[in-house]
Amino acid sequence: MASLINMLSVSPTILSPSITRTSSLQTRPNLSPCSVSFNKRRLTIRAAETDANEAVKSEAPDKAPAKNGSSFNQLLGIKGAAQESNIWKIRLQLTKPVTWPPLVWGVVCGAAASGNFHWNVEDVAKSILCMMMSGPFLTGYTQTLNDWYDREIDAINEPYRPIPSGAISENEVINQIWVLLLGGLTTAGILDIWAGHDFPILFYLALGGSLLSYIYSAPPLKLKQNGWIGNFALGASYISLPWWAGQALFGTLTPDVIVLTLLYSIAGLGIAIVNDFKSVEGDRALGLQSLPVAFGSETAKWICVGAIDITQLSVAGYLLGAGKPYYALALLALIAPQVFFQFKYFLKDPVKYDVKYQASAQPFLVLGLLVTALATSH
């Protein structure tokens, strides 16, 4: 759920993933705030330690001049952010609120798929608490964790970000990671009690999503080093985990739904690739095998749109075969504008138009998720 986890900016978890994904160097896996390596010094990201970072330091003002930065972008945690000194605004920026909506929507889809959600005060309150677990807590945990392990490569790609720029100290980042993780797990436990579960399924979904977030970003496994595995993990975190949480909260999570949502996560893999193009320079320099690095940008952009479109077309075929033609037609109608915006923006220049493409096409993809959820509930 927080793993549920990264995606839209993403880098998937509970949930996790965003969409804001940047590749990172392998760095210290120890997260304990008591570690002797986490002293009170502020992180100035070792700009003097490597020639590459020295070069980047001089380029940073040209990449993101504070005078041209946007305060709104800073609060959302997306590129083009203004430089900020307020610690609470910086903390919010690290959680990347722009990546929360897909997780919140995933909970909505799961609740709809359960067939047991009712528009009363109790069910609405449960769903809001589940959204908080999936979005601010566990996605915030995932994004902060990802930025922590990306701090050296961010010094190459985006040296103006809060951690490499030294705007927030190491101890403050570590404390934020723990607070968000424990807050998400506690919220999951409360939801299990509230729903009357004999087995704490939401707690274990949150725990599993948090673990997925960790191994996605942290060495030694660091799933994000592999373009296929890492991006699928991210996609599953943004599509499957929040859906499972919403459905388990209000009903029963069935094997067929688990399989369907995991297959749908292949589309999430495609969405995750969108965010790899802007990090090609740093990924290539550090030997990280994102798909644009491994296959080249031209091939990778077709892999990206193919994963998104073929997955949704396959789901539409499944719905048609299951005797639900109207849902299948609705899903097909939502795929068409996505293809249009792929040619209009993404396939022209995946770096220049990544934000425009995602803002234009993603709403139709998430509506397609809801159509599929409603179809499975009937």
Side-chain angles (χ1 to χ4, degrees):
M1 298 173 209
S3 153
L4 261 184
I5 231 186
N6 202 296
M7 178 182 258
L8 282 172
S9 144
V10 146
S11 28
T13 82
I14 236 183
L15 185 163
S16 226
S18 220
I19 236 163
T20 310
R21 175 206 179 264
T22 54
S23 302
S24 70
L25 284 174
Q26 294 189 6
T27 53
R28 292 180 298 241
N30 185 0
L31 290 179
S32 170
C34 298
S35 168
V36 294
S37 64
F38 302 137
N39 51 40
K40 294 183 179 179
R41 63 185 170 82
R42 298 186 77 84
L43 184 63
T44 56
I45 234 31
R46 310 169 190 36
E49 289 185 10
T50 65
D51 292 339
N53 283 1
E54 286 176 355
V56 169
K57 185 177 179 181
S58 65
E59 296 171 4
D62 295 328
K63 288 188 176 184
K67 63 181 180 181
N68 293 335
S70 164
S71 297
F72 183 68
N73 287 12
Q74 189 272 332
L75 293 176
L76 290 180
I78 58 179
K79 64 183 180 181
Q83 299 296 302
E84 182 59 64
S85 58
N86 183 292
I87 188 61
W88 293 107
K89 290 183 178 181
I90 292 170
R91 288 188 182 280
L92 181 63
Q93 181 180 358
L94 285 175
T95 67
K96 298 184 183 67
V98 73
T99 65
W100 300 351
L103 288 301
V104 170
W105 189 257
V107 172
V108 172
C109 291
S114 74
N116 293 321
F117 176 84
H118 302 93
W119 287 100
N120 56 47
V121 173
E122 182 177 10
D123 282 3
V124 170
K126 284 180 183 177
S127 63
I128 291 174
L129 191 59
C130 191
M131 292 172 187
M132 290 179 62
M133 173 191 69
S134 301
F137 278 121
L138 292 177
T139 304
Y141 151 78
T142 296
Q143 297 294 348
T144 306
L145 182 74
N146 188 59
D147 269 21
W148 170 250
Y149 282 108
D150 277 0
R151 62 196 188 278
E152 273 85 6
I153 198 170
D154 279 348
I156 299 175
N157 292 325
E158 301 174 281
Y160 46 82
R161 293 186 65 81
I163 297 177
S165 69
I168 186 170
S169 72
E170 292 186 346
N171 279 342
E172 288 169 331
V173 175
I174 297 302
N175 290 338
Q176 176 163 321
I177 289 170
W178 280 108
V179 167
L180 292 172
L181 172 60
L182 295 177
L185 294 177
T186 300
T187 303
I190 292 171
L191 286 170
D192 276 318
I193 295 172
W194 195 351
H197 292 158
D198 295 327
F199 178 79
I201 184 170
L202 288 167
F203 176 82
Y204 281 107
L205 284 174
L207 185 63
S210 302
L211 177 61
L212 183 59
S213 296
Y214 181 79
I215 65 175
Y216 173 81
S217 297
L221 295 179
K222 204 173 187 65
L223 299 181
K224 68 190 298 180
Q225 291 181 120
N226 182 296
W228 293 108
I229 298 174
N231 284 333
F232 182 76
L234 196 61
S237 296
Y238 273 83
I239 292 177
S240 298
L241 283 170
W243 180 318
W244 296 351
Q247 185 157 350
L249 180 61
F250 293 103
T252 302
L253 187 58
T254 57
D256 59 324
V257 168
I258 291 175
V259 172
L260 179 63
T261 52
L262 285 175
L263 291 175
Y264 221 126
S265 296
I266 297 174
L269 179 152
I271 298 169
I273 298 172
V274 174
N275 299 288
D276 291 340
F277 289 91
K278 65 179 181 291
S279 303
V280 168
E281 179 185 350
D283 290 354
R284 184 178 290 116
L286 296 166
L288 301 179
Q289 292 299 302
S290 67
L291 295 185
V293 171
F295 294 96
S297 293
E298 190 66 25
T299 300
K301 67 185 183 183
W302 286 101
I303 294 174
C304 175
V305 299
I308 294 171
D309 298 341
I310 292 173
T311 297
Q312 293 179 90
L313 289 170
S314 299
V315 173
Y318 164 79
L319 295 178
L320 183 62
K324 300 176 181 179
Y326 295 112
Y327 289 105
L329 289 173
L331 185 55
L332 287 172
L334 292 167
I335 295 171
Q338 294 178 61
V339 174
F340 171 78
F341 288 118
Q342 285 164 1
F343 281 93
K344 182 177 176 63
Y345 294 124
F346 183 73
L347 291 172
K348 283 185 178 180
D349 191 331
V351 176
K352 182 179 179 180
Y353 296 117
D354 64 331
V355 175
K356 282 187 176 180
Y357 165 66
Q358 294 196 72
S360 302
Q362 300 308 333
F364 295 100
L365 184 141
V366 297
L367 285 174
L369 278 171
L370 182 59
V371 167
T372 304
L374 292 172
T376 62
S377 71
H378 292 79

